Amino acid sequence: MFQQNLKDYWTSAINSCGTDSKALWSKLRTQMSPSSPLNFSRFSADEFATHFATKIDKIRAATASAPSPVIDLRTVAEKIWSFDPVTTDEITRLLSRSPAKHCLLDPVPTWLLKRASDILAPVLSVMCNASMQSGKFPDIHKQATVFPRLKKPTLDAYDANSYRPISNLSFVSKLVERAVATRLVKHAENNKLFPNRQSAYRRHHSTETAVVCVMNDIIRSIDRGEITALVLLDLTAAFDTVDHQTLIDVLHRRFAIDGVPLSWFESYLTNRMQSFTVDGVKSVPNKVSCGVPQGSVLGPLEFIAYTEEVTMVFCRNQVSRHLIADDKQIYHSCLIEQIYSVRKILGDCVLDIRDCC
């Protein structure tokens, strides 16, 4: 009986991936190389909550004296003044493509909700439209259960800095996010608002795209008898330090979002709460005053928008670049006798990026 239940579970789990190869490989990896359970006994849920809150406060305090950023206005042919209504068919498609996982905040298992999509899709479409047309994201959907996860298996499990916070959000809240994300991506792609050399979190812009692009540029410079200097930049706690007001300004001035949609994003970002969970024990709920949730649907897209303007720094310094998530790669090719001038060019660019950040 147990073997049959196991077989049925994995058959359902694999079928739920559909054409999503990323989700499929994620499930297969858990079977091919299962990770050993982590011992969190060194840190309680409240200790993790305190650690991450203190870490973010220190990072933000380090730039507290910097002047508020001036977001350059970008001319966009079309503004988003309202969200297109969600249809029942769209909700049905979103349900079929969504992974079958659920979190502690869900009142029913996700697999059950997906199986009852023909009954629940009309209700969910009304719910999504009510949120998007009113410009309000309900407070009940702004709660997150956060699990600390090791960044890499080789890191010290007894060092709190080895972990990153992953937010688990209710399925319905992520469904509304998916509907909004579809409209945001369509608007950005139609108006070419995302950087053309930004990989991750975008269709046809994978990590493979980034590697192929940078390697191709370097190999072509070798063919010309040149060398390439490469600088790799990584932002500390990038997702967790996003300033909400700056993000709203960016969405308005750089991505031409206005009216009710802008109010919706403001509502989405404000009054968020999170609780850390370790070994089934929850921390005291804490208010989230900055950052976008890691584990959300919109968070990665908002981060791309938040850092989009840094491409202007690269253009001013006339360096090649490629962005992938919160990593930035800048490089410049030259003849070997010009390497000292190239080092200065890249050094000046790094200083400009620091000031921009």
Side-chain angles (χ1 to χ4, degrees):
M1 184 65 179
F2 174 77
Q3 292 294 333
Q4 185 59 45
N5 289 343
L6 194 62
K7 179 181 177 181
D8 291 344
Y9 169 79
W10 280 108
T11 299
S12 175
I14 290 174
N15 288 338
S16 71
C17 298
T19 58
D20 188 343
S21 59
K22 179 180 177 182
L24 176 60
W25 278 109
S26 176
K27 295 186 185 303
L28 291 178
R29 273 195 295 270
T30 63
Q31 293 304 298
M32 293 188 294
S33 56
S35 56
S36 58
L38 297 176
N39 181 6
F40 290 108
S41 58
R42 180 71 179 271
F43 304 103
S44 68
D46 284 320
E47 286 173 333
F48 266 123
T50 301
H51 166 76
F52 284 109
T54 302
K55 178 180 178 180
I56 300 307
D57 288 344
K58 286 181 177 179
I59 293 172
R60 287 175 62 84
T63 58
S65 61
S68 299
V70 178
I71 310 300
D72 291 336
L73 180 65
R74 177 165 52 174
T75 302
V76 180
E78 300 176 2
K79 279 192 173 185
I80 294 185
W81 287 98
S82 61
F83 288 124
D84 293 334
V86 174
T87 65
T88 300
D89 288 341
E90 181 182 358
I91 293 296
T92 302
R93 287 195 301 273
L94 290 175
L95 287 173
S96 65
R97 296 171 184 171
S98 300
K101 58 186 178 182
H102 65 277
C103 81
L104 299 174
L105 300 171
D106 291 325
V108 297
T110 301
W111 64 263
L112 179 60
L113 190 150
K114 288 166 67 73
R115 287 189 182 182
S117 61
D118 56 332
I119 300 172
L120 296 177
V123 178
L124 293 172
S125 64
V126 171
M127 185 184 302
C128 288
N129 285 325
S131 174
M132 294 192 297
Q133 291 171 9
S134 66
K136 296 185 182 298
F137 192 69
D139 285 348
I140 194 172
H141 292 331
K142 301 176 189 177
Q143 301 174 22
T145 300
V146 184
F147 292 91
R149 291 287 182 260
L150 270 179
K151 298 175 183 177
K152 295 179 182 178
T154 55
L155 294 177
D156 182 5
Y158 292 96
D159 182 356
N161 291 312
S162 299
Y163 296 86
R164 66 162 50 95
I166 303 298
S167 299
N168 279 208
L169 307 165
S170 70
F171 181 83
V172 172
S173 71
K174 293 176 76 170
L175 186 68
V176 179
E177 286 188 60
R178 286 187 175 93
V180 173
T182 299
R183 285 146 182 77
L184 174 61
V185 169
K186 181 180 178 182
H187 168 70
E189 291 183 346
N190 286 346
N191 293 280
K192 296 181 172 57
L193 302 180
F194 287 142
N196 60 350
R197 288 202 167 199
Q198 165 74 60
S199 293
Y201 314 124
R202 298 169 60 191
R203 189 175 178 83
H204 306 307
H205 289 73
S206 64
T207 51
E208 181 181 359
T209 308
V211 172
V212 170
C213 178
V214 175
M215 280 194 64
N216 180 67
D217 288 347
I218 294 174
I219 290 172
R220 290 181 67 183
S221 71
I222 292 173
D223 288 342
R224 295 192 300 267
E226 298 175 342
I227 60 173
T228 300
L230 171 70
V231 179
L232 305 177
L233 303 174
D234 178 59
L235 295 174
T236 302
F239 278 59
D240 301 319
T241 54
V242 169
D243 184 82
H244 290 168
Q245 186 54 55
T246 302
L247 175 57
I248 292 299
D249 291 344
V250 167
L251 293 174
H252 177 57
R253 297 182 64 81
R254 300 289 298 171
F255 284 77
I257 297 176
D258 215 325
V260 173
L262 189 64
S263 297
W264 187 93
F265 278 102
E266 289 177 335
S267 175
Y268 172 82
L269 292 169
T270 55
N271 296 326
R272 300 197 73 91
M273 301 291 292
Q274 66 181 22
S275 296
F276 280 77
T277 298
V278 174
D279 293 336
V281 179
K282 276 190 173 185
S283 70
V284 176
N286 295 301
K287 187 173 183 179
V288 180
S289 59
C290 64
V292 291
Q294 296 191 53
S296 64
V297 176
L298 275 172
L301 293 174
E302 290 174 324
F303 182 78
I304 291 175
Y306 187 69
T307 57
E308 171 272 332
E309 201 173 6
V310 77
T311 56
M312 297 173 64
V313 177
F314 303 140
C315 292
R316 284 200 305 268
N317 286 274
Q318 298 181 325
V319 298
S320 300
R321 76 277 182 184
H322 204 99
L323 293 76
I324 176 163
D326 58 340
D327 295 325
K328 293 165 178 50
Q329 306 172 52
I330 60 173
Y331 51 101
H332 198 81
S333 300
C334 65
L335 296 174
I336 193 164
E337 58 266 23
Q338 299 171 324
I339 188 61
Y340 293 106
S341 62
V342 168
R343 285 173 59 183
K344 185 178 187 310
I345 290 171
L346 291 174
D348 290 344
C349 184
V350 169
L351 294 177
D352 286 349
I353 293 171
R354 180 199 63 184
D355 293 341
C356 177
C357 290

